[in-house]
Amino acid sequence: MFEDKVKQRESAPAPSVEEVERLLERPLLEMVFEAAQVHRRHHDPRAIQCSQLLSIKTGGCSEDCGYCAQSAHHETGVLPEPLLDVEEVLAAAKKAKENGAARFCMGAAWRKVRDGKDFDRVLEMVEGVKKLGLETCVTLGRLSRDQAKRLQGAGLDFYNHNLDTGRSHYEEIVSTHTFDDRLETLQAARSAGLHVCCGGILGLGEPRRARAELLHELASLDPHPDSVPINSLVPVPGTPLANEPPLDWTEVVRAVAAARILMPRSHVRLSAGRAGMTEEAQAICFLAGANSIFIGEELLTTPNPEPQSDALLLAKLGLRAEHEKP
Ligand code: SAM
Ligand code: DTB
Ligand code: SF4
């Protein structure tokens, strides 16, 4: 079994890119079976962690990420808006809690965090959301160690910062910052004792090898990321990747299964792209170890599945929210 090669101690080297590539090429159902076994050894297989997103600062971002609706480099119809008020954010968080979210994730279309009144306001948001009894997560772009400390002090649990794609494919997708910049921010978050949420996007025109590189990098983080979001590209008109053909659903299953095998204890989140997936494909992803989703009608700027259809799907599969007692 491949799992034997995955060292239980995360300080041991992760499987090489070549090994991960071979893992991704295995017969699909063998991979799913092994991933399901790993999943059951480390997690309650009926429990799904539920997070909800809110875009607290939308659009006008200086970065040129080729997939993103919020980059100022692309004409996507998403107009720049100022940072939301604290009250507005807390009202949305309250609603999210009522709708079954355990974690509230606030996203800002920033290249990096700048000290000043906007950052102070984000700190207030974190404090307020935490007081509502929710786990807190923010994704604000590049971050210094000092800023990470201040977020931690305000009650932040998770910092989301994705590696997005393999190192060799990164420059094809983004030119305004580097893969190493992303790694540096992850280190800053970790240095402040924050949990890290870090994953990537499938379907950016990358070869399978780049997916192997991404999974290798994620599994090389020590300790592994606490949450690993596996996003599928949501094609946004006006972006350079608007016409990228969708990936076959089996590639998503392969990435989820590999993430589960490589990072046995992490939460693997079936993230953006669920609205374009069938119930059957999602079910196989849950079998293969996905144990977290975004709930709620919207992601940041694009739609998520309807809450009623998500509730029905979880009920049909015998799954329940992780934070609700069986
Ligand atoms: N600006 C910050 C950053 O880049 O880290 C935070 C916000 S950014 C929108 C957060 C993540 O959303 C990206 O790293 C990417 O993984 C994901 N994302 C953005 N647009 C997407 C799309 N069209 N499809 C799938 N995932 C997307
Ligand atoms: C993550 O990995 N996916 C989320 C969250 N982290 C910030 C974002 C998905 C964005 C999908 C495109 C949009 O709605 O703009
Ligand atoms: Fe979008 Fe974040 Fe890239 Fe800005 S840095 S363009 S918000 S993904």
Tab-separated table of all heavy atoms in Angstrom, residues 31 42 44 67 88-90 104 109 112 130 138 140 145 149 156 219 233-235 239 247 259-260 282 314:
chain	number	residue	atom	x	y	z
A	31	MET	N	-7.164	3.601	-5.702
A	31	MET	CA	-6.803	4.812	-4.948
A	31	MET	C	-7.894	5.205	-3.981
A	31	MET	O	-7.638	5.546	-2.829
A	31	MET	CB	-6.712	5.985	-5.925
A	31	MET	CG	-5.392	6.346	-6.379
A	31	MET	SD	-5.586	7.865	-7.318
A	31	MET	CE	-4.930	8.995	-6.140
A	42	HIS	N	-8.272	7.861	10.612
A	42	HIS	CA	-7.939	9.136	11.254
A	42	HIS	C	-9.136	10.039	11.543
A	42	HIS	O	-8.995	11.026	12.248
A	42	HIS	CB	-6.927	9.904	10.393
A	42	HIS	CG	-5.617	9.191	10.255
A	42	HIS	ND1	-4.621	9.279	11.193
A	42	HIS	CD2	-5.165	8.345	9.305
A	42	HIS	CE1	-3.603	8.531	10.819
A	42	HIS	NE2	-3.903	7.952	9.679
A	44	ASP	N	-13.752	10.530	11.756
A	44	ASP	CA	-15.104	9.967	11.737
A	44	ASP	C	-15.614	10.099	10.296
A	44	ASP	O	-15.789	11.222	9.805
A	44	ASP	CB	-15.977	10.778	12.719
A	44	ASP	CG	-17.442	10.411	12.630
A	44	ASP	OD1	-17.810	9.585	11.760
A	44	ASP	OD2	-18.229	10.961	13.426
A	67	TYR	N	-6.943	33.157	-12.932
A	67	TYR	CA	-8.262	32.543	-12.696
A	67	TYR	C	-9.225	33.486	-11.998
A	67	TYR	O	-10.405	33.209	-11.887
A	67	TYR	CB	-8.086	31.290	-11.808
A	67	TYR	CG	-7.199	31.541	-10.608
A	67	TYR	CD1	-7.693	32.167	-9.476
A	67	TYR	CD2	-5.846	31.212	-10.629
A	67	TYR	CE1	-6.873	32.451	-8.392
A	67	TYR	CE2	-5.015	31.498	-9.551
A	67	TYR	CZ	-5.540	32.110	-8.438
A	67	TYR	OH	-4.736	32.398	-7.378
A	88	GLU	N	-21.703	44.723	9.504
A	88	GLU	CA	-22.205	43.944	8.369
A	88	GLU	C	-21.613	42.528	8.390
A	88	GLU	O	-22.299	41.531	8.153
A	88	GLU	CB	-21.723	44.647	7.101
A	88	GLU	CG	-22.716	44.703	5.972
A	88	GLU	CD	-22.161	45.593	4.850
A	88	GLU	OE1	-21.536	46.638	5.154
A	88	GLU	OE2	-22.333	45.230	3.700
A	89	VAL	N	-20.338	42.461	8.699
A	89	VAL	CA	-19.640	41.171	8.728
A	89	VAL	C	-20.176	40.313	9.881
A	89	VAL	O	-20.431	39.115	9.715
A	89	VAL	CB	-18.110	41.391	8.853
A	89	VAL	CG1	-17.381	40.082	9.074
A	89	VAL	CG2	-17.595	42.104	7.613
A	90	LEU	N	-20.381	40.939	11.023
A	90	LEU	CA	-20.859	40.169	12.178
A	90	LEU	C	-22.285	39.680	11.938
A	90	LEU	O	-22.644	38.559	12.337
A	90	LEU	CB	-20.774	40.993	13.466
A	90	LEU	CG	-19.342	41.357	13.892
A	90	LEU	CD1	-19.323	42.020	15.260
A	90	LEU	CD2	-18.429	40.130	13.895
A	104	PHE	N	-16.059	30.625	10.077
A	104	PHE	CA	-16.395	31.745	9.204
A	104	PHE	C	-15.107	32.266	8.575
A	104	PHE	O	-14.165	32.615	9.301
A	104	PHE	CB	-17.100	32.833	10.021
A	104	PHE	CG	-17.785	33.869	9.185
A	104	PHE	CD1	-18.873	33.530	8.370
A	104	PHE	CD2	-17.364	35.188	9.204
A	104	PHE	CE1	-19.519	34.483	7.598
A	104	PHE	CE2	-18.004	36.153	8.431
A	104	PHE	CZ	-19.087	35.791	7.631
A	109	ALA	N	-9.554	40.839	-1.308
A	109	ALA	CA	-8.815	40.849	-2.575
A	109	ALA	C	-7.646	41.807	-2.461
A	109	ALA	O	-7.603	42.859	-3.103
A	109	ALA	CB	-9.752	41.257	-3.713
A	112	LYS	N	-1.452	42.183	-0.312
A	112	LYS	CA	-0.845	41.959	1.004
A	112	LYS	C	-1.573	42.795	2.050
A	112	LYS	O	-2.301	43.737	1.710
A	112	LYS	CB	0.631	42.339	0.978
A	112	LYS	CG	0.884	43.808	0.733
A	112	LYS	CD	2.341	44.127	0.975
A	112	LYS	CE	2.580	45.614	0.854
A	112	LYS	NZ	3.934	46.014	1.088
A	130	LYS	N	-15.160	35.592	16.514
A	130	LYS	CA	-14.737	34.625	17.544
A	130	LYS	C	-15.716	34.649	18.722
A	130	LYS	O	-16.092	33.600	19.252
A	130	LYS	CB	-13.321	35.012	17.998
A	130	LYS	CG	-12.693	34.053	18.961
A	130	LYS	CD	-12.193	32.828	18.240
A	130	LYS	CE	-11.536	31.860	19.214
A	130	LYS	NZ	-11.251	30.586	18.561
A	138	VAL	N	-9.152	33.923	7.990
A	138	VAL	CA	-9.080	35.022	7.029
A	138	VAL	C	-8.093	34.666	5.918
A	138	VAL	O	-7.196	33.848	6.110
A	138	VAL	CB	-8.632	36.375	7.655
A	138	VAL	CG1	-9.640	36.891	8.650
A	138	VAL	CG2	-7.245	36.275	8.276
A	140	LEU	N	-5.986	37.132	3.339
A	140	LEU	CA	-5.780	38.565	3.102
A	140	LEU	C	-4.580	38.817	2.199
A	140	LEU	O	-4.137	39.940	2.073
A	140	LEU	CB	-5.537	39.274	4.449
A	140	LEU	CG	-6.509	38.991	5.610
A	140	LEU	CD1	-5.970	39.591	6.916
A	140	LEU	CD2	-7.896	39.549	5.314
A	145	ARG	N	5.230	38.494	9.788
A	145	ARG	CA	5.152	37.764	11.055
A	145	ARG	C	4.447	38.591	12.117
A	145	ARG	O	3.642	38.084	12.903
A	145	ARG	CB	6.556	37.400	11.542
A	145	ARG	CG	7.113	36.243	10.762
A	145	ARG	CD	8.580	35.973	11.014
A	145	ARG	NE	8.972	34.896	10.120
A	145	ARG	CZ	9.363	33.691	10.523
A	145	ARG	NH1	9.462	33.417	11.797
A	145	ARG	NH2	9.678	32.756	9.654
A	149	LYS	N	0.986	37.734	14.128
A	149	LYS	CA	0.885	37.757	15.604
A	149	LYS	C	-0.333	38.557	16.049
A	149	LYS	O	-1.053	38.175	16.970
A	149	LYS	CB	2.142	38.424	16.202
A	149	LYS	CG	3.244	37.468	16.568
A	149	LYS	CD	3.198	37.159	18.083
A	149	LYS	CE	4.018	35.964	18.520
A	149	LYS	NZ	3.609	34.668	18.054
A	156	LEU	N	-7.689	34.893	15.878
A	156	LEU	CA	-7.740	34.156	14.603
A	156	LEU	C	-7.283	32.709	14.791
A	156	LEU	O	-6.268	32.443	15.428
A	156	LEU	CB	-6.849	34.831	13.543
A	156	LEU	CG	-7.021	34.215	12.148
A	156	LEU	CD1	-8.400	34.548	11.575
A	156	LEU	CD2	-5.932	34.686	11.187
A	219	ALA	N	2.287	18.383	1.015
A	219	ALA	CA	2.650	17.318	1.952
A	219	ALA	C	4.044	17.543	2.541
A	219	ALA	O	4.432	16.892	3.499
A	219	ALA	CB	2.580	15.959	1.253
A	233	LEU	N	-11.313	24.949	-10.841
A	233	LEU	CA	-11.482	26.276	-11.440
A	233	LEU	C	-12.955	26.567	-11.696
A	233	LEU	O	-13.649	25.763	-12.316
A	233	LEU	CB	-10.725	26.344	-12.774
A	233	LEU	CG	-10.946	27.648	-13.558
A	233	LEU	CD1	-10.287	28.829	-12.849
A	233	LEU	CD2	-10.414	27.525	-14.986
A	234	VAL	N	-13.409	27.726	-11.205
A	234	VAL	CA	-14.706	28.253	-11.606
A	234	VAL	C	-14.373	29.249	-12.714
A	234	VAL	O	-13.779	30.294	-12.444
A	234	VAL	CB	-15.410	28.977	-10.426
A	234	VAL	CG1	-16.758	29.527	-10.862
A	234	VAL	CG2	-15.558	28.056	-9.226
A	235	PRO	N	-14.686	28.884	-13.977
A	235	PRO	CA	-14.248	29.772	-15.053
A	235	PRO	C	-15.017	31.089	-15.022
A	235	PRO	O	-16.240	31.097	-14.965
A	235	PRO	CB	-14.559	28.983	-16.339
A	235	PRO	CG	-15.299	27.767	-15.932
A	235	PRO	CD	-15.453	27.727	-14.447
A	239	THR	N	-11.557	36.561	-17.594
A	239	THR	CA	-10.225	36.140	-17.122
A	239	THR	C	-9.530	35.344	-18.235
A	239	THR	O	-10.206	34.777	-19.102
A	239	THR	CB	-10.313	35.231	-15.867
A	239	THR	OG1	-11.048	34.049	-16.218
A	239	THR	CG2	-11.003	35.928	-14.715
A	247	LEU	N	-12.080	20.038	-16.164
A	247	LEU	CA	-11.372	18.774	-15.925
A	247	LEU	C	-12.383	17.656	-15.793
A	247	LEU	O	-13.480	17.856	-15.274
A	247	LEU	CB	-10.649	18.853	-14.583
A	247	LEU	CG	-9.214	19.285	-14.514
A	247	LEU	CD1	-8.673	18.925	-13.124
A	247	LEU	CD2	-8.369	18.603	-15.576
A	259	ALA	N	-4.588	13.624	-1.773
A	259	ALA	CA	-4.426	14.533	-0.625
A	259	ALA	C	-4.712	13.774	0.672
A	259	ALA	O	-3.978	13.916	1.661
A	259	ALA	CB	-5.365	15.735	-0.761
A	260	ARG	N	-5.750	12.958	0.671
A	260	ARG	CA	-6.072	12.202	1.891
A	260	ARG	C	-4.965	11.232	2.265
A	260	ARG	O	-4.577	11.109	3.433
A	260	ARG	CB	-7.418	11.449	1.673
A	260	ARG	CG	-7.783	10.438	2.719
A	260	ARG	CD	-7.723	10.981	4.147
A	260	ARG	NE	-8.694	12.027	4.422
A	260	ARG	CZ	-8.392	13.168	5.074
A	260	ARG	NH1	-7.148	13.407	5.505
A	260	ARG	NH2	-9.322	14.074	5.310
A	282	GLN	N	-19.451	14.092	-6.164
A	282	GLN	CA	-19.169	14.589	-4.803
A	282	GLN	C	-19.147	13.428	-3.819
A	282	GLN	O	-18.292	13.363	-2.927
A	282	GLN	CB	-20.229	15.608	-4.373
A	282	GLN	CG	-20.172	16.909	-5.152
A	282	GLN	CD	-21.188	17.921	-4.634
A	282	GLN	OE1	-21.142	18.329	-3.473
A	282	GLN	NE2	-22.107	18.318	-5.488
A	314	LEU	N	-26.155	15.683	1.891
A	314	LEU	CA	-25.524	15.131	3.107
A	314	LEU	C	-26.456	14.103	3.746
A	314	LEU	O	-26.024	13.020	4.148
A	314	LEU	CB	-25.178	16.242	4.099
A	314	LEU	CG	-24.104	17.250	3.682
A	314	LEU	CD1	-23.666	18.095	4.874
A	314	LEU	CD2	-22.873	16.604	3.063
